[in-house]
């Protein structure tokens, strides 16, 4: 996903830039993504088995991929982390990391490469904790920042972006909505130095906003 100095070497999902808000206290970029597919793990707390390791084993980072057919899948960015996630209702096949407080469900997602553009093409996980999800097209805003991932600092960054959106007159935005719905996008491996890391907070908007 990158290097010690943050050089990115993996593919990202395509997006169109709708607006770049610059020269403000908290700059952001409005993007439009098409449909994407992701491998996901939902977990209850930091005490659970590492969700990153579970997803990495699914795509084959540590050896034989844990999917039907043992198909190696390229790593992409970002790794997405989502707070207050709902526990999946069914197993497996139904392909830019979000954490929060203990006792709440959290979700980590690996975005799958562009060639996996249909559910039928995606290798089925052999680990029942891994689910494949279709992410519908969406429009939203992203703010980029550096440093190591920390749940509290990510929430603070998301709050600042929300304050900027409110200042810019984006309808329907409140601090509560932002903090309940933002996602964290991580683009670098753990060994990348903090000042060189590319992190983003992402907030989905609707077409009217």
């Amino acid at each position: 996903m990158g290097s010690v100095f943050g050089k990115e070497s993996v593919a990202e999902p395509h997006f169109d830039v709708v607006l770049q808000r610059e020269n403000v206290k908290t700059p952001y970029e409005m993007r439009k993504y098409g449909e994407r597919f992701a491998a996901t793990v939902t977990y209850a707390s930091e005490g659970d088995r590492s969700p990153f390791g579970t997803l990495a084993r699914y795509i084959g980072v540590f050896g034989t991929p844990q999917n039907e057919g043992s198909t190696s899948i390229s790593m992409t960015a970002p790794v997405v982390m989502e707070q207050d996630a709902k526990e999946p209702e069914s197993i497996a096949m139904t392909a830019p990391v979000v954490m929060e407080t203990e006792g709440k469900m959290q979700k980590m997602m690996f975005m799958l490469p562009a060639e996996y553009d249909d559910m039928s093409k995606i290798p089925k996980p052999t680990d029942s904790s891994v689910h494949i999800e279709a992410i519908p097209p969406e429009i939203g805003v992203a703010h980029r920042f550096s440093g190591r991932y920390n749940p509290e600092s990510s929430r603070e960054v998301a709050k600042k972006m929300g304050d900027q959106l409110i200042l810019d007159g984006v309808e329907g935005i409140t601090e509560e909505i932002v903090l309940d719905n933002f996602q964290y996008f991580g683009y670098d491996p753990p060994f990348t130095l903090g000042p060189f890391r590319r992190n983003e907070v992402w907030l989905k908007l609707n077409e009217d906003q």
Side-chain angles (χ1 to χ4, degrees):
M1 292 175 65
S3 71
V4 172
F5 298 106
K7 182 179 179 181
E8 294 162 26
S9 57
V10 298
E12 298 177 27
H14 172 77
F15 61 83
D16 295 318
V17 176
V18 179
L19 170 73
Q20 286 187 314
R21 186 74 166 103
E22 301 173 330
N23 303 316
V24 292
K25 186 175 181 179
T26 307
Y28 58 85
E29 183 174 80
M30 184 177 290
R31 301 173 183 167
K32 191 170 187 177
Y33 285 98
E35 184 179 42
R36 295 158 288 163
F37 292 87
T40 75
V41 170
T42 301
Y43 56 106
S45 70
E46 293 182 2
D48 287 356
R49 185 174 63 164
S50 165
F52 187 94
T54 300
L55 291 170
R57 283 185 284 273
Y58 164 68
I59 66 174
V61 171
F62 302 129
T64 303
Q66 292 186 0
N67 61 62
E68 292 186 0
S70 300
T71 303
S72 293
I73 301 172
S74 299
M75 187 73 183
T76 65
V79 174
V80 179
M81 298 175 66
E82 182 178 290
Q83 61 183 356
D84 293 338
K86 294 181 180 179
E87 190 170 5
E89 296 178 358
S90 58
I91 8 184
M93 215 51 181
T94 26
V97 185
V98 185
M99 288 184 181
E100 207 186 46
T101 57
E102 185 177 354
K104 294 185 178 180
M105 300 303 293
Q106 304 164 54
K107 181 188 290 184
M108 181 179 287
M109 307 181 195
F110 276 16
M111 295 298 174
L112 297 183
E115 60 262 32
Y116 296 108
D117 58 0
D118 186 85
M119 196 68 81
S120 64
K121 299 179 181 180
I122 301 169
K124 184 176 180 179
T126 54
D127 184 332
S128 63
S129 68
V130 179
H131 297 253
I132 304 301
E133 296 184 15
I135 303 173
E138 61 185 10
I139 189 168
V141 292
H143 169 71
R144 180 170 176 168
F145 63 104
S146 60
R148 292 202 166 274
Y149 172 73
N150 176 282
E152 291 306 315
S153 62
S154 296
R155 285 175 63 83
E156 185 59 33
V157 171
K159 180 181 178 300
K160 290 179 180 178
M161 183 175 73
D163 290 342
Q164 186 65 56
L165 293 171
I166 292 170
L167 188 63
D168 289 349
V170 179
E171 294 183 4
I173 297 295
T174 65
E175 180 178 314
E176 182 179 8
I177 287 174
V178 172
L179 295 181
D180 284 348
N181 293 281
F182 82 91
Q183 292 179 324
Y184 167 86
F185 287 5
Y187 291 84
D188 302 286
F191 52 77
T192 300
L193 299 175
F196 300 99
R197 297 180 71 85
R198 176 188 172 191
N199 310 304
E200 292 177 339
V201 287
W202 165 262
L203 180 68
K204 179 183 175 181
L205 302 177
N206 60 52
E207 295 288 347
D208 295 332
Q209 291 174 307

